[in-house]
Amino acid sequence: MTLGELSRTARQRTGVGVERSEITSFINTIVADPYRRHCTALNGVRGSGKSAALDRCIEAFEGMGFPVARDVTALAAEVMPIRRESLRPWLVVDDVHLADEQVIWRLAELARDQEGPNLLVAHLRGSQSDSVRALRTVMGSVTRPVALGPLSSNEAREWIEGQCAWLSIAARERCLIASGSMPWVLSVVIEVLTELADGREGGVSEIERALAGTAVLPGLITRLSLELDRLADSPRALALALASGADASDLIGSGIVDLGSPRSGGYTAKQYDDDLADLRSGGMLDVHERLIPLVRTAVLHTAPAHRRRASRIELLGSRMDNGRDTADLAWELARQGVQDPRVVSALLRTGHNLLGADPRRAAAAFALASDIGAPAQQTLLPQVEALIATSQLDLALSLLERDRSHIPHVSQPDAAAINAALWLRLGYPERAADAVHSLGADGAARLGGIGAVAVTAAGQLPTRLMASEVDKVPQSPARLAIEAMGTAIVDSLKHDSVAISRSLSSLVRASETLSATGSTALLPDSPAALAALIAIHTGQRETAIAVLNRAIEAHHPNAELLPRLRLLRGWAALLDGDVLTAVEMNDLSAGELAARDELLSAALTIAIAHRADDAPALRRTWPRARAALMRVSIGLFDILALGELVIAAERLREDDAVAGSLADGLSVLQRLGDPPVWGTLLHWGCVKVAIRRNQPTALEPHAAALVRGGAAVRLSGALADVGRSWVAILGGARDSATMTTAEQHARALGAAGMEWDAARFAGLAATQAIGRGDIQRLLHVARDMSQVHAVRADPVSESARTVRVAGPGSPSVREGQSPGPVHPREDARSVLSAREIEVAALVLEGRTYAEIGNTLFISPRTVEHHMARIRRRLNVSSRSELLVRLRSLLSGVGINGGA
């Protein structure tokens, strides 16, 4: 059997055996009133099953006793007279649209005759001759026409289940979707599936695999293409355009359809309507006027490759001209290796549009554009920028270094800004400054605020030109915000409280401006991050928390900066006593962090352990912090992390690990004039280390720096006072006047925003005091500062909570144990007092009496007295027995530890 015969056979069987609801309803109408006259026009698209419907109607008519004739000439003259008591004969005519004018005229005449026969004619839906339209009008005045289209879901399922019951339910559903439930398409599918299943071993499994994937069944496209061959050139070209993804707005007025010989003025709306009508009448469209999926596949597979490619390129050009989205189409063409300037242009536009919203896809778009011939001058810098925004820093650096020679001279300032941002993220502020200086003095000035931030991070004073130069042309709000960053950084270096306050305000406003404008500019650092650093260094935690909360909510300015903003939010929370938020922010930032942010995260983890007095956690987390410190060259914006690591290193006897970084950090501060905003916390950390080592000479320069900064930064002055009192006390001055001064200094330090340090200092001073009144006052101050810290940590509940202090996988500590109270169950209270329970819990953690005293702000001797009473109450004689009894007693509230 030839393909043509197969196609004709399939069309003859289209719809056979399907109980179409439209025909059932029509037949029921005849059954309900067989003596009523009917003139019904049955219309449908090609392959919708008109002939099968007529056959079913004839069978029903004959079953009811109606005389039936299949054409006008077969209608016998003797049956024409209609008697009231007899059934009126039926004249059934198929494909009226193909009949000659005389037959159509005769049918119209019979329809007008009130005494004529019943009429049932079928014709193709769509454009018809005037005579057919006139016949439809006459018949429609007698009986409403019947329209056939795609099968209903139930009808289609019934048909394919009856013909291909061996198919899985999922495979049948895929067949229905692919065929659009159009009878002629579904009949071809059923025919091909049946042949494959019957013709070869394992055919069913092959069919299932093909239907589950994107493979095309053998022979299916060939048979479907027989119907496509019936189309004229223009509708066929429209089908190819629609299969390529075009719609009316793309086609009208363009040359997409008329690729072979474009008409003057492009494709008109009338041509589009006519060609679409041909596709509709040919049964090629679904109910939404889209190509049926299998028809679309057949169109694309049978069209020559150069026509498919040309159609899509023309479509791409049309959408670009109309300002419509071209991303998916350009992506598809580029992946097919199409090297056309319009594809390149569309990919570049897509990349730039996605740079802020989806930098990962933007980077891929620029890379793809480069692969199909886009010059490196157009793709290099935006691709590097996108890679930086997705934290692919090593790849960005490799690409930038490899293709640096392709950067045009006019783009050198942009390249320098991107390079500076990249090196700062990698933890090399000196190289960031070198990138700025590579432009020369005049070129660096064009970087404005970006240049000022970059060189300041490396410990270099920005020139006035760099920090304040403003272009003569009007600037956008985003550009003005970036310029304000440079001015703010310069102000932050001054020994002037007014300038420092102005600096912080400028950075807060710049952050909010960039958030409001949705700016995606690649910056050396976020203005919100810089504002938070200044606020943290000056003890203004509330300001830091507020600006970071707003920036995090807005993901300002890029999602890439979100981990850094969260880490700083964790630092601000920790200084505010909110350990839980600090841990949460640190955990949320986990992942592939840039080198500078890895240092910040590691130092935050150390700080959490430090404030929990958790020596084991401190030891566990130190290797990570040490590794992070080795990866970066300390810059101005790393001072916060460095200060914490210096203190931890002294406690762990790892001073050598931070010696080089400490020298670099102090050098950065010195080159910038030792600005009090940035140096206060590092100098304080060095003071604490010197005091613990009893090294007065090492303490002096840092104490002097704190004293100098006190005129501009309140926190610096408060720390200097505390340092002096601490040195005096450790030097042997324990008189009441010294202790009174220490009390005042501790309260001043708490008022300056460092309650935790103030509480620790007051507690240590109390251990050195002699007078009972001095001890009580200092312990009262320690408790006051500690309670302020604890209330911020949990303003709702004072119950103990478990928090992680060393990242995922590390053991927990009880937040309520240090320094807040623990509330065990009633059986523990019946044996020990509240203070004894606190002491016992810390003993189980392995603390020394001195450490317990520092935590609870009592003297080591008092701790010893508590332990003696605990032994007597528990009636134990050995330390091992004591620890066993304490673990048993306190296990109900989860308080355990090791000796």
Side-chain angles (χ1 to χ4, degrees):
M1 182 179 292
T2 65
L3 288 177
E5 291 170 338
L6 281 171
S7 178
R8 285 192 297 274
T9 302
R11 292 182 62 78
Q12 289 169 2
R13 292 204 302 266
T14 299
V16 174
V18 180
E19 298 289 333
R20 300 205 60 159
S21 58
E22 301 94 333
I23 302 304
T24 300
S25 177
F26 170 68
I27 293 174
N28 288 338
T29 302
I30 306 301
V31 172
D33 190 0
Y35 295 101
R36 175 188 169 192
R37 185 168 184 250
H38 294 272
C39 290
T40 303
L42 177 66
N43 67 84
V45 299
R46 194 181 307 279
S48 59
K50 300 184 299 298
S51 298
L54 290 183
D55 290 342
R56 183 183 169 199
C57 289
I58 291 173
E59 183 180 354
F61 297 158
E62 290 177 341
M64 286 184 282
F66 285 100
V68 179
R70 296 300 299 259
D71 57 61
V72 176
T73 58
L75 193 63
E78 59 270 19
V79 301
M80 284 297 296
I82 304 300
R83 294 184 296 274
R84 189 173 300 276
E85 68 278 4
S86 64
L87 294 174
R88 195 184 301 264
W90 278 92
L91 175 60
V92 181
V93 182
D94 198 1
D95 291 334
V96 169
H97 56 283
L98 300 178
D100 58 35
E101 294 292 326
Q102 186 176 3
V103 171
I104 297 174
W105 177 84
R106 175 61 178 151
L107 289 173
E109 188 177 59
L110 290 173
R112 293 188 187 95
D113 186 358
Q114 297 294 328
E115 301 300 322
N118 292 317
L119 292 179
L120 177 60
V121 301
H123 64 85
L124 186 66
R125 186 186 306 165
S127 57
Q128 294 115 12
S129 64
D130 293 340
S131 57
V132 173
R133 280 195 292 269
L135 174 62
R136 289 178 54 198
T137 301
V138 173
M139 297 183 69
S141 65
V142 180
T143 309
R144 188 175 62 184
V146 176
L148 297 180
L151 299 171
S152 69
S153 298
N154 289 335
E155 291 168 346
R157 288 191 181 95
E158 179 185 347
W159 188 12
I160 194 169
E161 183 178 359
Q163 298 295 317
C164 303
W166 38 269
L167 272 181
S168 67
I169 295 177
R172 291 180 215 157
E173 290 299 318
R174 283 190 284 269
C175 288
L176 297 185
I177 294 171
S179 66
S181 295
M182 185 61 72
W184 77 269
V185 182
L186 192 53
S187 69
V188 173
V189 172
I190 291 173
E191 197 169 82
V192 171
L193 293 180
T194 303
E195 290 177 3
L196 287 174
D198 295 341
R200 69 184 69 179
E201 186 177 350
V204 174
S205 60
E206 178 185 351
I207 291 169
E208 292 279 0
R209 288 194 300 271
L211 291 175
T214 57
V216 178
L217 289 171
L220 180 60
I221 297 303
T222 303
R223 299 188 191 185
L224 292 174
S225 66
L226 295 176
E227 291 299 321
L228 297 177
D229 291 341
R230 302 166 63 95
L231 296 172
D233 290 343
S234 188
R236 184 72 177 264
L238 174 60
L240 178 57
L242 295 176
S244 300
D247 55 30
S249 59
D250 298 315
L251 300 174
I252 297 174
S254 73
I256 297 175
V257 173
D258 300 307
L259 290 174
S261 54
R263 303 182 181 98
S264 175
Y267 195 55
T268 65
K270 184 179 184 309
Q271 291 164 351
Y272 173 77
D273 290 339
D274 291 344
D275 291 342
L276 194 67
D278 285 347
L279 294 177
R280 187 186 303 113
S281 64
M284 309 290 178
L285 304 180
D286 62 16
V287 294
H288 303 292
E289 299 280 80
R290 297 175 303 205
L291 285 177
I292 291 170
L294 275 176
V295 172
R296 179 180 183 273
T297 302
V299 169
L300 293 175
H301 274 77
T302 57
H306 70 278
R307 291 292 300 273
R308 293 198 304 268
R309 184 167 56 251
S311 177
R312 295 198 172 196
I313 293 175
E314 288 291 334
L315 173 59
L316 181 69
S318 174
R319 288 188 172 177
M320 290 180 67
D321 293 340
N322 295 329
R324 299 184 64 190
D325 179 49
T326 59
D328 293 338
L329 186 56
W331 215 286
E332 183 179 353
L333 288 168
R335 284 179 172 169
Q336 294 172 2
V338 176
Q339 297 186 349
D340 186 277
R342 286 168 290 187
V343 180
V344 170
S345 179
L347 273 180
L348 291 176
R349 186 173 74 173
T350 297
H352 285 291
N353 290 340
L354 292 174
L355 200 52
D358 191 349
R360 191 171 297 278
R361 286 195 69 203
F366 291 125
L368 204 53
S370 179
D371 291 342
I372 63 171
Q377 294 91 327
Q378 295 180 342
T379 62
L380 176 59
L381 292 182
Q383 185 179 358
V384 169
E385 187 172 347
L387 290 172
I388 294 173
T390 55
S391 299
Q392 300 180 73
L393 304 183
D394 292 338
L395 181 57
L397 180 62
S398 173
L399 190 63
L400 192 60
E401 292 299 314
R402 185 190 69 192
D403 295 336
R404 185 180 299 278
S405 60
H406 295 291
I407 301 174
H409 178 73
V410 69
S411 299
Q412 290 298 327
D414 292 334
I418 291 173
N419 217 348
L422 175 57
W423 282 118
L424 278 180
R425 283 161 174 75
L426 289 170
Y428 293 92
E430 297 89 351
R431 294 194 181 184
D434 291 342
V436 175
H437 295 318
S438 67
L439 299 174
D442 294 338
R446 293 201 296 271
L447 293 184
I450 293 176
V453 172
V455 299
T456 303
Q460 301 175 18
L461 285 170
T463 64
R464 183 178 181 183
L465 188 65
M466 289 172 57
S468 61
E469 179 71 10
V470 178
D471 297 336
K472 304 304 180 185
V473 297
Q475 298 188 42
S476 66
R479 183 65 189 176
L480 289 173
I482 294 172
E483 294 303 320
M485 288 177 59
T487 303
I489 284 298
V490 173
D491 282 340
S492 74
L493 302 177
K494 297 178 180 178
H495 292 251
D496 180 356
S497 59
V498 175
I500 293 170
S501 177
R502 183 171 60 238
S503 168
L504 183 55
S505 298
S506 296
L507 287 169
V508 171
R509 289 194 300 270
S511 174
E512 294 182 348
T513 298
L514 292 179
S515 294
T517 59
S519 172
T520 59
L522 183 64
L523 303 175
D525 210 336
S526 161
L530 297 178
L533 283 170
I534 292 176
I536 290 172
H537 278 285
T538 55
Q540 302 179 62
R541 299 176 309 249
E542 294 83 358
T543 301
I545 290 171
V547 68
L548 287 169
N549 283 345
R550 288 193 293 269
I552 290 171
E553 183 178 355
H555 287 195
H556 162 63
N558 294 318
E560 176 261 340
L561 288 175
L562 196 54
R564 182 166 179 80
L565 296 173
R566 283 174 172 160
L567 288 171
L568 289 172
R569 177 65 179 86
W571 274 95
L574 182 64
L575 296 177
D576 201 39
D578 189 352
V579 180
L580 287 180
T581 298
V583 172
E584 178 187 4
M585 290 292 136
N586 204 5
D587 287 347
L588 286 175
S589 305
E592 291 294 328
L593 293 173
R596 67 173 180 181
D597 296 334
E598 170 63 16
L599 175 64
L600 194 62
S601 175
L604 177 57
T605 305
I606 288 287
I608 293 170
H610 182 199
R611 280 156 182 75
D613 282 325
D614 191 343
L618 201 62
R619 285 190 292 271
R620 283 193 305 271
T621 57
W622 176 253
R624 177 195 174 199
R626 183 174 55 202
L629 197 60
M630 293 173 64
R631 290 179 57 199
V632 303
S633 176
I634 294 296
L636 184 66
F637 308 143
D638 304 315
I639 295 294
L640 175 64
L642 179 62
E644 190 65 42
L645 296 182
V646 166
I647 298 171
E650 192 281 331
R651 184 172 179 180
L652 297 171
R653 295 180 174 83
E654 291 275 355
D655 306 271
D656 291 343
V658 300
S661 297
L662 176 58
D664 291 342
L666 294 174
S667 177
V668 167
L669 292 173
Q670 184 180 14
R671 293 196 301 270
L672 294 173
D674 207 3
V677 163
W678 298 100
T680 294
L681 294 182
L682 180 58
H683 288 306
W684 174 241
C686 292
V687 166
K688 292 171 75 173
V689 168
I691 291 175
R692 285 176 63 94
R693 291 176 179 170
N694 194 21
Q695 296 176 340
T697 56
L699 180 147
E700 290 176 0
H702 303 293
L706 291 174
V707 171
R708 289 193 302 271
V713 177
R714 178 187 178 191
L715 178 60
S716 182
L719 290 172
D721 290 339
V722 167
R724 279 196 296 267
S725 291
W726 204 349
V727 170
I729 292 172
L730 294 181
R734 303 182 182 183
D735 55 279
S736 182
T738 301
M739 294 304 170
T740 300
T741 302
E743 176 191 350
Q744 295 170 351
H745 290 166
R747 292 191 181 279
L749 182 58
M754 295 187 69
E755 292 92 351
W756 184 80
D757 283 83
R760 293 299 294 262
F761 167 65
L764 289 171
T767 64
Q768 302 296 318
I770 298 175
R772 184 174 183 82
D774 294 334
I775 295 174
Q776 290 178 342
R777 287 198 312 274
L778 287 168
L779 289 177
H780 182 69
V781 172
R783 292 192 182 95
D784 284 349
M785 295 295 104
S786 177
Q787 288 171 4
V788 170
H789 205 63
V791 166
R792 286 198 179 99
D794 186 359
V796 177
S797 172
E798 293 182 355
S799 62
R801 294 176 295 174
T802 301
V803 298
R804 287 177 289 126
V805 300
S810 57
S812 302
V813 297
R814 300 291 298 183
E815 183 189 22
Q817 292 174 14
S818 176
V822 176
H823 297 289
R825 296 184 303 180
E826 187 62 32
D827 59 340
R829 288 199 187 99
S830 65
V831 179
L832 303 177
S833 69
R835 175 62 80 184
E836 288 167 351
I837 289 173
E838 290 179 323
V839 171
L842 294 174
V843 166
L844 287 177
E845 289 185 5
R847 309 286 183 89
T848 66
Y849 288 176
E851 289 174 334
I852 294 172
N854 290 339
T855 300
L856 300 179
F857 308 110
I858 57 179
S859 69
R861 184 175 295 277
T862 302
V863 176
E864 187 178 354
H865 290 323
H866 282 304
M867 289 304 300
R869 283 197 296 271
I870 290 172
R871 284 191 179 92
R872 287 196 300 271
R873 292 187 180 188
L874 298 181
N875 193 25
V876 296
S877 57
S878 67
R879 177 174 173 79
S880 59
E881 185 182 359
L882 171 66
L883 295 178
V884 170
R885 291 290 304 278
L886 288 178
R887 288 193 185 97
S888 174
L889 189 64
L890 303 182
S891 61
V893 289
I895 304 175
N896 272 301

